[in-house]
Amino acid sequence: MKNFYYHIPTEVFFGKGQIENLAPKIGDYSKKVLLVYGGGSIKRTGLYEKVIEKLVSHGIAVFELGGVEPNPRIDTVRRGVKLCKSHEIGAVLSVGGGSTTDCAKLVAAGALYDGDPWELVLDNGKIKEALPIFTVVTIAATGSEMDRLAVISNMDTNEKLAVFSPYFHPKVSILDPEYTYTVPKIQTAAGTADIMSHVIERYFNPYEGAYLQNRIGDGLLKTCIHFGPIACEEPNNYDARANLLWTSTLAIDGVTWRGNEVGSSAHPMEHELSAYYDITHGIGLAILIPHWMRYILSEQTKPRFVEYAVNVWGVDSALPDDEIAKAGIERTHAFFESLGIPMRLSDLDIDETHFDEMAEKAEKRTKFSYVPLSKEDVKSIFKAAL
Ligand code: NZQ
Ligand code: ZN
């Protein structure tokens, strides 16, 4: 196992009614908060009114940044930064999914930065501080509510970039599974694929001594396999929503990959698809993951595929290794498909037009993954997924 540093400073309040803790916690930091939310789901579900009521009755003035896009854009971040600066706002609250939280993170950093916030995305070394960040999660997917990552898009330049900062860990996150009941089936499926991808991409690593991390990974993946279909079919099933929600938070916080870290692989490829075609993150991942797996399966990687197939999918360990490894990949593909996810890029109206430039950009990160992927490798995977 490699040496590592692990520090998660986020306070998590998990379960029904935990919203009661939000306003007092924000009040400890500021009497002015920027409420960041997406395209309107929180207004339809009534969560918006509830949050405002809690904040106002606690003497906190609320300013609003609504309309954050899935694949949040730098222009929206700029609007939020302007609000924070002009009203001297002291805290940022995201109520929504990963897009909303990622936007809130950049707003929080941009509010304390003199230049344009896109400069922070291009160079995280420029992030020296951020306003305190709070989240109320409404969808199980990214884990942004506890991690130090934000992903922001610039549609003018077809860039979707991940930016890391220790200042991005939220101070407090409220995880009430009931708030995820209204997530549509396809977004529930996409979220499940995203969670699984956060585990799978790191499961395939060369470090034999890090046994524990993959056993935690087995548990997280099996939880998704068990509860993903249930949440899709029974949206108000508390246990399904609760298990998925906590799995999403744990899947990316480092518990499965500190000590055996490799660069991610499908994520950099998917971010290019989103940057050019504005697709749903988890759907792009579900399409790419099985093709990436088929592409990297070799004599050298086969033992890890066998471990994955037997532990995660229960494939018969008495079969020949080649069969076991392939069965694990095909089970992964079939599972995503069974959730109702379209499994070809052409289903999303994506063709080869931008493959060359997308692969060139993805390569900057995929060359650090378990099996390093060159531009040509990425193009081959894109083509296989068409
Ligand atoms: O915008 P609203 O109206 O709120 O609707 C959203 C959106 O349309 C809807 N939704 C969310 N909660 C709902 C709901 N609809 C009904 N009821 C609810 N309770 O779901 C749609 C998707 O929301 P979004 O926030 O975009 O989803 P997600 O959480 O999957 O976030 C995706 C973004 O996060 C980035 C992705 O690249 C993408 O930009 N990622 C962020 C990461 C991180 N910060 O750690 C890691 C990930 O790997 C990922 O890259
Ligand atoms: Zn993801």
Side-chain angles (χ1 to χ4, degrees):
M1 201 184 292
K2 296 197 293 180
N3 290 3
F4 61 88
Y5 172 73
Y6 183 75
H7 177 62
I8 308 282
T10 305
E11 282 187 84
V12 171
F13 290 91
F14 189 98
K16 295 178 190 178
Q18 294 284 23
I19 194 81
E20 296 306 327
N21 295 292
L22 181 66
K25 286 288 179 187
I26 294 177
D28 287 346
Y29 289 88
S30 177
K31 289 293 175 195
K32 285 186 190 177
V33 70
L34 182 72
L35 169 61
V36 184
Y37 56 93
S41 72
I42 68 161
K43 290 198 171 167
R44 290 191 294 278
T45 61
L47 185 55
Y48 170 85
E49 282 79 11
K50 189 184 278 187
V51 167
I52 299 262
E53 190 265 316
K54 302 277 177 214
L55 294 170
V56 171
S57 65
H58 206 77
I60 298 170
V62 182
F63 299 80
E64 291 187 33
L65 176 67
V68 176
E69 314 79 5
N71 302 324
R73 310 211 175 158
I74 192 64
D75 288 337
T76 312
V77 172
R78 290 186 180 117
R79 277 200 289 130
V81 168
K82 211 168 161 187
L83 282 167
C84 287
K85 286 184 175 173
S86 57
H87 297 285
E88 297 180 332
I89 292 168
V92 182
L93 166 63
S94 157
V95 182
S99 296
T100 302
T101 298
D102 287 0
C103 178
K105 288 176 174 180
L106 253 297
V107 169
L112 300 179
Y113 179 70
D114 276 341
D116 181 58
W118 187 245
E119 293 169 18
L120 304 177
V121 179
L122 295 177
D123 178 5
N124 67 349
K126 291 185 172 165
I127 305 174
K128 305 289 185 203
E129 53 186 338
L131 295 176
I133 299 156
F134 300 81
T135 84
V136 178
V137 184
T138 65
I139 177 171
T142 64
S144 186
E145 61 273 11
M146 207 163 81
D147 73 14
R148 61 190 175 97
L149 166 63
V151 187
I152 302 294
S153 296
N154 185 337
M155 297 317 274
D156 296 335
T157 54
N158 288 127
E159 284 173 290
K160 177 173 176 173
L161 301 177
V163 52
F164 297 85
S165 169
Y167 302 103
F168 283 169
H169 286 293
K171 295 282 180 215
V172 173
S173 283
I174 308 292
L175 278 64
D176 184 335
E178 292 185 320
Y179 298 160
T180 68
Y181 284 174
T182 51
V183 176
K185 183 176 173 184
I186 188 67
Q187 290 293 343
T188 302
T192 303
D194 188 25
I195 302 167
M196 292 176 70
S197 169
H198 295 155
V199 178
I200 288 172
E201 287 180 51
R202 263 61 182 265
Y203 197 103
F204 293 89
N205 67 73
Y207 303 105
E208 288 310 322
Y211 176 87
L212 170 68
Q213 285 82 342
N214 273 16
R215 300 296 71 76
I216 299 171
D218 293 338
L220 297 174
L221 290 170
K222 285 162 100 159
T223 304
C224 291
I225 292 162
H226 181 69
F227 283 112
I230 297 175
C232 283
E233 295 314 317
E234 301 169 33
N236 291 8
N237 184 313
Y238 185 84
D239 287 338
R241 293 297 194 178
N243 278 278
L244 282 181
L245 187 53
W246 188 223
T247 305
S248 72
T249 310
L250 294 178
I252 201 169
D253 82 337
V255 72
T256 68
W257 53 266
R258 290 289 180 209
N260 58 355
E261 189 168 358
V262 288
S264 54
S265 36
H267 266 70
M269 292 191 267
E270 192 296 310
H271 285 170
E272 294 309 319
L273 297 177
S274 289
Y276 282 79
Y277 296 97
D278 203 13
I279 64 166
T280 297
H281 175 61
I283 291 179
L285 289 169
I287 295 172
L288 291 173
I289 287 274
H291 291 288
W292 164 71
M293 286 177 154
R294 291 181 193 114
Y295 196 80
I296 68 161
L297 176 59
S298 65
E299 279 309 307
Q300 191 199 350
T301 63
K302 193 164 60 183
R304 196 63 95 192
F305 277 97
V306 170
E307 175 187 340
Y308 169 77
V310 172
N311 288 337
V312 176
W313 295 103
V315 176
D316 183 357
S317 61
L319 293 168
D321 281 358
D322 280 337
E323 262 181 61
I324 298 174
K326 285 179 185 155
I329 298 173
E330 296 321 313
R331 295 283 295 272
T332 309
H333 184 116
F335 177 74
F336 291 148
E337 197 162 38
S338 75
L339 295 179
I341 294 176
M343 289 303 287
R344 308 217 64 89
L345 294 180
S346 52
D347 295 333
L348 309 179
D349 293 329
I350 295 175
D351 59 22
E352 290 192 40
T353 310
H354 299 293
F355 278 2
D356 207 52
E357 46 201 293
M358 292 191 318
E360 193 166 332
K361 290 187 196 169
E363 181 199 48
K364 290 184 189 136
R365 285 178 63 206
T366 55
K367 66 183 176 193
F368 299 111
S369 61
Y370 171 41
V371 176
L373 299 175
S374 68
K375 176 183 169 184
E376 289 311 313
D377 294 326
V378 174
K379 266 171 77 174
S380 300
I381 293 170
F382 282 152
K383 280 185 184 167
L386 262 176

